[in-house]
C-alpha cells in the first residue's frame, strides 16, 4: 500500500467534521477509491461503497427523494448495508453520474447518523443537472498523482532523510554531493514513471520500464475513452486538444496554438473542450499575465496559455523515440526541456498554486509566477548546462525588483545563491 498525503487530510476530516460530508476531487486513477477504502478499513466498523457508473441502478434510491430516511431505506432494500449509526461510512464513487445523490448530500449529512464521502473523476460534466449543491454540508479536497516526495516514500527513502533535505534547502545550503546525486537519480526516474499509483506500484515491484510504459498507455487510452463517452458535442475537439498537448509542449516556447489544431482554431471554438479537459483534471492550464502585480487574474490574457499534462510519466509515454533511456542517462533537456517544466507545473498545482507565466509584448518571458508573502516569486526552469543564462529574469530584476519576493532558477545544479537569484536543484520543486 503506497503512503499518500491524503490520509492525513482524511484523518483531519474524521476528527473535526460534524454534519459535513467530504468530497474528493481528482482525475481518474490517481488513487481516490483506494485511499477511501483503506481509510474506512481503519476507522469504521461498516463500509458501504456505491459506484454509480458500475451500478447505475443505485440511482433509483435518490430519484424524487430528498428524505434521508427514505434514501437509506431504499439503499438497504437494494442490498447495501449494514447501516449502523455512528459506525458506518457510506462512499458514493463517481457521484457525477448521479446528480440527485449530489443534491441529497445536504439531507444525508444533516441527518447525522452516518458519515459520507463522495468522489468523482469528472465532476464538471453534470454540473448543470445538480439542482442544489450541498453548500455548508460538504468540505472538498483535491487529490493528484503521487508528488515527488510521495514517490521517494514509495522508493523507500526515509522521512528523516527527506526532512533533513528540506531543512537544508530552506536554509539555502548545498545538499551533500552523494545525497544530491541520489536525489537526481530518483528525480529522473520520477520524470519517466510519474505518479499514477498503479504505474508506480508496477515500477517498484519489478523496475521494468516496458511494463511501466504499457500501464501508462492504458491510462492515457482510458482518458481518450472518457472523452469519447462524456465530452458530448465537444468530444472531437477535446480529443484533438488532448492529443496535441505533447507536441505543443515540445515546441521551444511551449505556448499552445489552437491554429495548429485547425486553420480557423480559436478559443471561442475550443473553450468547451479546454474546460472539459480542465474539469477532468487531466490538463493544467497556465495563463499569460502581462504584469508582475497581483492578483494575477486581473492582468491575465486567457487567449494566451500553455497546457501541461497532469503527469510527467504519462507525458513521457506519449512521445516517441525512446526518450526514457535518454532521461535515465541524464539528458533531461529532451524536447526543449518540456519534461522538466511539466514536472514543476504539476508540483505547483499539487501544492495549491494557480499557474501563470509572464510575457509582455513577447519580451522577457518567465516560466512561472507564484504568490509568496503578498509578493511575486519568479520560477525559471533550466534543464541544460547553461542554467545561469537567463536574460529575461535579469531584465525583470533590474526594473521590478521591489515587487519580487524570490527569484528561483530550478536546474540540475546544487543549491547556490548568486546576488538576488537562488539556484535550486529541480527536485526541490517537489519537496519544499
Amino acid at each position: 500500500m503506497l503512503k499518500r498525503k491524503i490520509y492525513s487530510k482524511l484523518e483531519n476530516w474524521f476528527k473535526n467534521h460534524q454534519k459535513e460530508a467530504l468530497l474528493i476531487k481528482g482525475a481518474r486513477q490517481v488513487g481516490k477509491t483506494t485511499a477511501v477504502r483503506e481509510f474506512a478499513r481503519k476507522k469504521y466498523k461498516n463500509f458501504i461503497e456505491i459506484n454509480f457508473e458500475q451500478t447505475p441502478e443505485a440511482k433509483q434510491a435518490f430519484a424524487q427523494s430528498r428524505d434521508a430516511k427514505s434514501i437509506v431505506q431504499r439503499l438497504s432494500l437494494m442490498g447495501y448495508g449494514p447501516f449502523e449509526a455512528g459506525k458506518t461510512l457510506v462512499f458514493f464513487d463517481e457521484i457525477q453520474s448521479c446528480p440527485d445523490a449530489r443534491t441529497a448530500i445536504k439531507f444525508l449529512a444533516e441527518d447525522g447518523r452516518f458519515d459520507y464521502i463522495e468522489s468523482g473523476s469528472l465532476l464538471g460534466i453534470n454540473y448543470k443537472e445538480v439542482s442544489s449543491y450541498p453548500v455548508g454540508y460538504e468540505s472538498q479536497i483535491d487529490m493528484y498523482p503521487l508528488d515527488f516526495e510521495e514517490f521517494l516514500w514509495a522508493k523507500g527513502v526515509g522521512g528523516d532523510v527527506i526532512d533533513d533535505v528540506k531543512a537544508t534547502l530552506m536554509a539555502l545550503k548545498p545538499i551533500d554531493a552523494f545525497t544530491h546525486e541520489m536525489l537526481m537519480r530518483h528525480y529522473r526516474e520520477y520524470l519517466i514513471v510519474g505518479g499514477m499509483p498503479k504505474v508506480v506500484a508496477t515500477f517498484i515491484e519489478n523496475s521494468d520500464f516496458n511494463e511501466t510504459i504499457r500501464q501508462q498507455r492504458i491510462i492515457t487510452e482510458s482518458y481518450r475513452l472518457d472523452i469519447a463517452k462524456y465530452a458530448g458535442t465537444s468530444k472531437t475537439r477535446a480529443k484533438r486538444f488532448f492529443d496535441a498537448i505533447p507536441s505543443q509542449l515540445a515546441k521551444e516556447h511551449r505556448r499552445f496554438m489552437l491554429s495548429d489544431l485547425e486553420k480557423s482554431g480559436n478559443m471561442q471554438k475550443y473553450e468547451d473542450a479546454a474546460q472539459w479537459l480542465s474539469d477532468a483534471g487531466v490538463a493544467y492550464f497556465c495563463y499569460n499575465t502581462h504584469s508582475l502585480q497581483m492578483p494575477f487574474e486581473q492582468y491575465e490574457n486567457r487567449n494566451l496559455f500553455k497546457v501541461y499534462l497532469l503527469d510527467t510519466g504519462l507525458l513521457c509515454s506519449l512521445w516517441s523515440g525512446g526518450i526514457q533511456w535518454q532521461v535515465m542517462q541524464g539528458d533531461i533537456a529532451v524536447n526543449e526541456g518540456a519534461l522538466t517544466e511539466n514536472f514543476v507545473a504539476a508540483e505547483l498545482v499539487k501544492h495549491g498554486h494557480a499557474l501563470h507565466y509572464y510575457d509582455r509584448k513577447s519580451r522577457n518571458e518567465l516560466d512561472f509566477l507564484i504568490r509568496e508573502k503578498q509578493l511575486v516569486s519568479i520560477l525559471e526552469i533550466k534543464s541544460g548546462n547553461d542554467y545561469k543564462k537567463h536574460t529575461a529574469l535579469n531584465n525583470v530584476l533590474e526594473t521590478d525588483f521591489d515587487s519580487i519576493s524570490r527569484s528561483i532558477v530550478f536546474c540540475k545544479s546544487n543549491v547556490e545563491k548568486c546576488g538576488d537569484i537562488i539556484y535550486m536543484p529541480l527536485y526541490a520543486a517537489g519537496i519544499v
Side-chain angles (χ1 to χ4, degrees), residues 370-387:
I370 63 172
R371 176 177 177 172
E372 286 188 322
K373 300 177 181 178
Q374 307 304 314
L375 292 173
V376 176
S377 283
I378 299 170
L379 309 181
E380 282 282 84
I381 318 304
K382 300 290 185 180
S383 57
N385 295 322
D386 59 346
Y387 59 90

Side-chain angles (χ1 to χ4, degrees), residues 253-381:
H253 296 292
R254 280 185 266 293
R255 215 186 94 195
F256 200 101
M257 302 297 293
L258 292 169
S259 58
D260 289 347
L261 307 189
E262 59 175 295
K263 186 174 292 187
S264 58
N266 55 49
M267 199 54 187
Q268 185 175 0
K269 276 188 175 183
Y270 278 88
E271 185 174 8
D272 287 345
Q275 189 63 52
W276 193 95
L277 292 169
S278 178
D279 286 344
V282 302
Y284 301 146
F285 285 72
C286 181
Y287 291 102
N288 166 263
T289 180
H290 61 268
S291 173
L292 292 173
Q293 299 181 59
M294 293 181 293
F296 299 132
E297 291 76 12
Q298 182 175 334
Y299 303 96
E300 72 182 12
N301 182 347
R302 295 183 74 86
N303 289 313
L304 300 178
F305 55 87
K306 303 176 185 180
V307 186
Y308 300 97
L309 210 59
L310 80 160
D311 183 71
T312 59
L314 298 185
L315 177 62
C316 209
S317 73
L318 292 173
W319 280 323
S320 59
I323 67 170
Q324 290 84 357
W325 172 254
Q326 292 176 253
V327 173
M328 281 310 300
Q329 295 305 302
D331 182 10
I332 58 175
V334 293
N335 288 344
E336 301 290 344
L339 204 54
T340 53
E341 193 169 310
N342 200 113
F343 165 77
V344 175
E347 292 295 321
L348 289 174
V349 170
K350 292 167 188 173
H351 288 83
H353 294 286
L355 299 181
H356 289 90
Y357 76 96
Y358 174 81
D359 187 9
R360 187 173 183 177
K361 298 180 180 179
S362 299
R363 295 161 51 197
N364 296 335
E365 181 173 319
L366 302 171
D367 293 328
F368 298 105
L369 303 181
I370 63 172
R371 176 177 177 172
E372 286 188 322
K373 300 177 181 178
Q374 307 304 314
L375 292 173
V376 176
S377 283
I378 299 170
L379 309 181
E380 282 282 84
I381 318 304

